[in-house]
Amino acid sequence: MGINKMQQPGQKVDGWKPRIIAFLCNWCSYAGADLAGVSRLQYPPNTRIIRVPCSSRISPLLILKSLQHGVDGVLVSGCRPGDCHYISGNYVARRKFAILNNLLEYLGIEKGRVHFAWVSAAEGKRFAELIKEITEEVRALGPAKELVKKQD
Amino acid sequence: MTISSAHQAANQKTGAVLVVGGGIGGIQAALDLAESGYYVYLVEQSPAIGGVMAQLDKTFPTNDCSICILSPKLVECGRNLNVEIITYADILDVNGKPGNFKVRVNKRAKYVNESLCTGCGICQTKCPWETDSEFDQGLGKRKAIYIPYAQAIPNVPVIDKELCAYFQKGKCRACEKFCSVKAVDFTQTDQIIELQVGSIILCPGFNKFEASLVPQYGYGKYPNVITSIEFERILSASGPYQGELLRPSDRQRTQKIAWIQCVGSRGESPQNSYCSSVCCTYAIKEAIVAKEHSPIPLDTAIFFMDMRTFGKGFEAYYERAKNEHGVRFIRCRPSVIEEVPETKNLRIKYETEDGKLIKEEFDLVVLSIGLEPPKDVQSLAAKLGIELNSCGFCQTDVFSPVAASAPGKFACGAFSGPKDIPETISQASAAAASASAFLSSARNSLVKSKIYPRERDVGGAPPRIGIFVCHCGVNIGGVVNVSEVRDYAATLPNVVYAEDNLYTCSQDAQEMIKEKIKEHNLNRVVVASCSPHTHEPLFQETIRQAGLNKYLFEMANIRDQCSWVHKEYPEEATEKAKGLVRMAVAKARLFQPLKELSIGVVDKALVIGGGVAGMTAALELADQGFRTFLVERSDKLGGNLRDIYWTLDGKDVQQFLKETIDRVHRHKLIDVYLNAEIKDITGYIGNFRTTAASQEGEKTLEHGVIIVATGGQEYKPKEYLYGEHPKVITQRELEQKLATHALGDKELNNVVMIQCVGSRNEERPYCSRVCCSQAIKNALKIKGVNPSSNIYVLYRDVRTYGFKEEFFTQARSQGIIFIQFDDNNKPEVTSKNGKLSVAVLEPILREKVVIDCDLVALSAGIVPNKNDELSKLLKTPVNEDGFFMEAHVKLRPVDSSNQGIFLCGVAHSPQMIDESISQAMAAAGRASIPLSKVYVTAEGIVSSVDAEKCIGCGLCESICAFKAIVLKQVDGVNKAETIPALCTGCGVCAASCPQQARTMGHFTDDELIAQINALAVT
């Protein structure tokens, strides 16, 4: 509707489409993504969601594996502070990512590839906005190269 | 078992309940009763259960898809062993006495054998005879043999004898010819069934007001004047226009729609005098949804008298409609609608708030029709021996809101007055709780238990995956190329079967999935459809019935997170759907069966808060035979009720309060703790441990469930000279003064009441619901004491919903003056030499009037108690207004998101006494479900540890918020051990273990990496 398909965020640029993975906690962020759907809020189709019980389930390993497998952007999203279904899992997750960020920087992974966010079950709109922003950012960075395993 | 007072009465009552009416209320009551140990007969007049909710497109205020949230309930009802659904049936008579009723039911012939029919629907495609579809409100067609709607339960067609050519002319029989299972049976006759039940719950719902009775609006004459329920069908993707926003006359896109409120409500005969309570919010919903639906800019206008968005979250919805969606709200009741003959547009003449007369043309007009008692209500009431009120609804009492006027019979939903879905659900759970308490001696005497086939051992066998891809009508199929996804899925490793369904959630699809599991020896199942939040339990149950462990199941969310959010890009959406299916398959290949743990239940309850809600909940639970701890922070029971003296309809509140407190104190099964604070709560459903501190010291209570009834309080105004001038008081203070005769006639000569003080503003955007009725109650009381007094009520919208409207009418007829103001022109209260006066902009005169007065009564809103601490202890969130959040706004209004914890009363949202009582009974009823069981089953998704790899570092123990991990000495070294009953399955331990010794079931590292890997593969 009125949008030039060529300018659509996340569309092919020289044949490349960004691949983004979103690890969403079951109780807040996944429900927030569902709410975006129920509210028919549109966002770019490059992100694939993986449902996990809590953002604290995501270890640095899973993020590094994602980058190794050629994923161009990663989002980990949990409940807002105070809302965690598991009391404090979202804080544990945040602590881990603060440290992981240093490692990523050391490895030469660009800022903007790996995101951590809070999205509540009521924030369908915010979820859609967030995915738009991240898609834009990852698209501007181009394909991830640093950790990608060579394909046989 | 849990019942202590049962012995003598044991064999006397019948442990079965008749539920009359299969709408959402009847469904909820039936499910609650079946889960608490009673056999249920659910009798419905029409061919299928589902009621009006099945016809709705979306539900307010969350715009949830109505059928999507209803469908799992329908299926649950259809598959519950202890719910016997009897459709197309009427109650003939009721005999016997409470506890042992004999009910005769006439089951009309469907001319289709229900046990043979598979619901394939071929008969309706072959039938050549058409008529208007009742379900689509005449906007679409149905055949002479028809299933009323796609998700109908039972999914069995019925033959319309009046239309069927065989019955009318003796030939055709096309349906019979094409039915492969020989289910069509023209010889079937009506059957009379006799049911033995202990109690009866009545929820026959409501009738829609006949819009043609208001001739000035031209319904039935002008094709583009339609009713709100017809508009729901137009909006619905499975409706007559496939969700396209077209108007009936020419099937052209509509660009400009008007809603006219109060059609059939708040009027004079033939309209009804009461307010139908739901129309304001549903009109807002329809306008928002229409705007979102429309591919072209759509202009929407709602003509209303008072905007009655009084429910939880409704006011914010109204504000969003105005400010974000640009819905126009016009305060005017148009007197007439004229059609423009050439265009079939409609012309509405109205007066704007600044007095201009305007003629405006719309291409579609929606009449917001009200709710009436069911058509056959008189004869139903006579058969059941119950009384109706003056409006023809079931007579109930404010203090016992779900009891019909005869013992053992209960009423819920719109049958006892217009109400929305969550209130209907609350009442249904309350009625179920009442019936359950009434029959508690016969609990579990007639129920059948679920027998599952033995779980097939799939360990070691290579994965054989079956995939079912859902069209969800056009919800998915309209964007995603479903057959392409299905074909792609069939090529994935270990997939041995793939198919697509119109609705994978329908009951016939469940049967089909079971067959396919058997036929193809499937040992993993993937469904690509909507959200696991709503539908995973349904499919898990299905595969369990087919002998598979329920954790061998995965969903790909290709609707909420794909087709709905990428509408404009069908190709990319199809690509994404394939990707999501690929990821789901990759994960499912690695699934292992998981075991569910049975947890013993401590059959005691904790109720927090000793107001009317808390006391009611405690009494209800104790009456069902469960010991209940009632913890109250203050030194007295009663809460806000202590300051309320009479209800709007004149009932004595203090008498009721005294009796209730007496009953609580006398009840052997209730332990009351006054001056007590909750210090700590640990544990989980079935086994909570709570520390309550009082002057006598700390006490530890063990219980299986928690009911939160912490209430709220009247807002202390900061505005309008409150606290500065002694004659500016709150409504509650006024009530107290009136009750104690503390005001002389002279002080009541001129009284001004100001509404919405502390409500509907920036700080507290919600409506406090009770204040309009409270003001009118006090105003009428003053008129009773001093008939010559002048009373002015300054209001924004008068929200006397339901039968409260009667008192608003009465107030106006007694000369009480109502002056409307808007938020930008608030009244001003001034004091000159101690003399009070109030200035307000009079909207009809359009000039400022100054009222000198003796007293100003402020209708101060309701504020929740400070719930932050308790919310943390309960792990149950509060919303932005500070009220506790329910698990689902529509369908789980008294459940919290945390298992075993329930909410009621003002802690949930502002409400009236009868509503608080209903909710409290509902919460008690819901809480009694786990209490009535010896065991509850915990989720199988828990963490485990590999003792070989564990180095006993203790990181997992320190990080587990639920104390579900302990370090134990094994052969002299530390090893971590999990307590599965305490494990909530968050997985923090698995993500933190430096040895990767911990595994999080269903979300293992291997499974997640397989998903990641599948995403990366192109």
Side-chain angles (χ1 to χ4, degrees), chain B residues 456 464 496 516-524:
Chain B
R456 230 168 72 205
R464 293 180 61 80
V496 295
K516 296 300 171 193
I517 290 173
K518 217 190 259 172
E519 190 182 328
H520 298 275
N521 192 26
L522 305 177
N523 57 19
R524 310 279 191 283

Side-chain angles (χ1 to χ4, degrees), chain A residues 83-127:
Chain A
D83 287 356
C84 180
H85 186 78
Y86 303 104
I87 307 173
S88 54
N90 52 352
Y91 293 125
V92 177
R94 190 176 59 171
R95 286 206 295 277
K96 277 196 191 119
F97 293 109
I99 298 166
L100 179 69
N101 267 336
N102 295 339
L103 175 71
L104 294 174
E105 202 182 327
Y106 176 76
L107 291 172
I109 307 286
E110 306 93 325
K111 268 198 162 90
R113 288 237 183 261
V114 179
H115 294 257
F116 186 78
W118 321 111
V119 174
S120 85
E123 292 178 315
K125 197 169 164 195
R126 177 173 146 75
F127 180 78

Side-chain angles (χ1 to χ4, degrees), chain A residues 1 8 11 19 26 30 34 37-38 41-43 45 47-51 53 56-57 69 86-87 96, chain B residues 63 531 533 536 557 560-561 564-568 572 576 875 984-986 991-992 1003 1005 1015-1016 1018:
Chain A
M1 219 178 64
Q8 181 213 344
Q11 267 291 91
R19 278 181 298 199
N26 181 45
Y30 192 90
D34 277 352
V38 172
L41 302 167
Q42 305 296 300
Y43 56 82
T47 299
R48 306 283 183 268
I49 291 167
I50 293 182
R51 183 168 70 117
S56 69
R57 171 66 192 91
H69 283 299
Y86 303 104
I87 307 173
K96 277 196 191 119
Chain B
N63 292 1
S531 174
H533 276 197
E536 194 176 48
N557 188 340
D560 305 41
Q561 298 177 358
W564 277 353
V565 291
H566 312 310
K567 272 193 294 204
E568 311 289 327
E572 282 86 347
K576 176 168 171 179
K875 294 164 208 128
T984 55
C986 67
S992 309
F1003 296 95
D1005 279 353
L1015 179 148
T1018 42

Side-chain angles (χ1 to χ4, degrees), chain B residues 423-438:
Chain B
E423 274 186 71
T424 296
I425 300 255
S426 290
Q427 282 208 335
S429 289
S434 298
S436 184
F438 181 67

Side-chain angles (χ1 to χ4, degrees), chain A residues 23 50 57 62, chain B residues 524 551-552 554 583-594 941 999-1014:
Chain A
F23 295 102
I50 293 182
R57 171 66 192 91
L62 294 169
Chain B
R524 310 279 191 283
Y551 297 101
L552 298 170
E554 180 69 3
M583 290 163 72
V585 167
K587 187 180 184 193
R589 291 171 68 200
L590 302 176
F591 277 156
Q592 290 302 321
L594 300 174
I941 299 176
T999 303
M1000 183 58 234
H1002 216 63
F1003 296 95
T1004 66
D1005 279 353
D1006 289 348
E1007 288 164 359
L1008 295 177
I1009 290 168
Q1011 276 182 291
I1012 295 166
N1013 210 352

